[in-house]
Amino acid sequence: MPTPTKVFQRGVSLIELIVFIVVVSIALLVLVGVYRNATINNADPLIRMRALEAAQSLLDEIIALKYDESTPTGGIPACSTAGAPNCTNAPENNMNDVDDYHNFSDLPYPGAPGYQRSVQVTTANNIKRITVRVTTPTNETFLLTAERANF
């Protein structure tokens, strides 16, 4: 009579299969969450860059202007100094000096709604602080500030 041979079974049990499915589904949920977050925020760098460009361009435009309406071309002598007219430090409507931009606001990108730009100019100790605020379509606010001295 022949000797019976041992039969080895290979495979996985039902418990092992369930544990594998649970582990894979948790890992898949984490990966999908990361991809979802990346997809939602992929335009944010472009929006932020446009906001900073809008703020910087207006700030550069304002800083290039004269300190005050009474400041002579070239800035010498500075207004309110000996032999020079007094500084007015009052906004006019001709937009030819720094303080004319106080409370100015506009839409820097008419074709891209949602961007809003505004300017505040304050004067202290003969220094004008210019603050440009840009609000993006995602309601983020960017501030750029510079100071303009009387010279």
Side-chain angles (χ1 to χ4, degrees):
M1 210 190 253
T3 346
T5 59
K6 293 184 178 180
V7 178
F8 294 102
Q9 294 182 352
R10 297 189 178 209
V12 293
S13 68
L14 181 60
I15 294 175
E16 292 171 331
L17 186 61
I18 291 173
V19 168
F20 173 76
I21 290 172
V22 168
V23 169
V24 168
S25 61
I26 290 172
L28 187 62
L29 284 174
V30 170
L31 284 175
V32 168
V34 169
Y35 287 133
R36 180 180 174 275
N37 194 24
T39 303
I40 288 172
N41 296 325
N42 71 349
D44 286 352
L46 175 65
I47 291 170
R48 291 179 183 132
M49 184 59 71
R50 288 186 91 180
L52 287 172
E53 287 173 350
Q56 186 66 53
S57 67
L58 185 58
L59 189 60
D60 290 345
E61 178 182 329
I62 295 169
I63 287 183
L65 298 174
K66 296 191 299 183
Y67 175 83
D68 189 79
E69 185 77 23
S70 302
T71 302
T73 303
I76 300 173
C79 61
S80 294
T81 60
N86 288 331
C87 296
T88 59
N89 289 327
E92 302 90 22
N93 290 327
N94 51 14
M95 307 305 253
N96 66 350
D97 61 278
V98 172
D99 53 15
D100 292 347
Y101 278 87
H102 182 62
N103 290 332
F104 172 82
S105 67
D106 71 345
L107 302 173
Y109 303 112
Y115 290 93
Q116 173 91 28
R117 192 166 56 174
S118 63
V119 179
Q120 294 293 318
V121 179
T122 56
T123 305
N125 299 326
N126 254 358
I127 294 179
K128 293 185 181 180
R129 179 178 298 235
I130 307 149
T131 303
V132 178
R133 175 186 308 267
V134 177
T135 305
T136 67
T138 58
N139 288 325
E140 287 181 284
T141 300
F142 292 89
L143 294 173
L144 290 184
T145 301
E147 292 181 343
R148 178 76 159 82
N150 184 15
F151 64 88

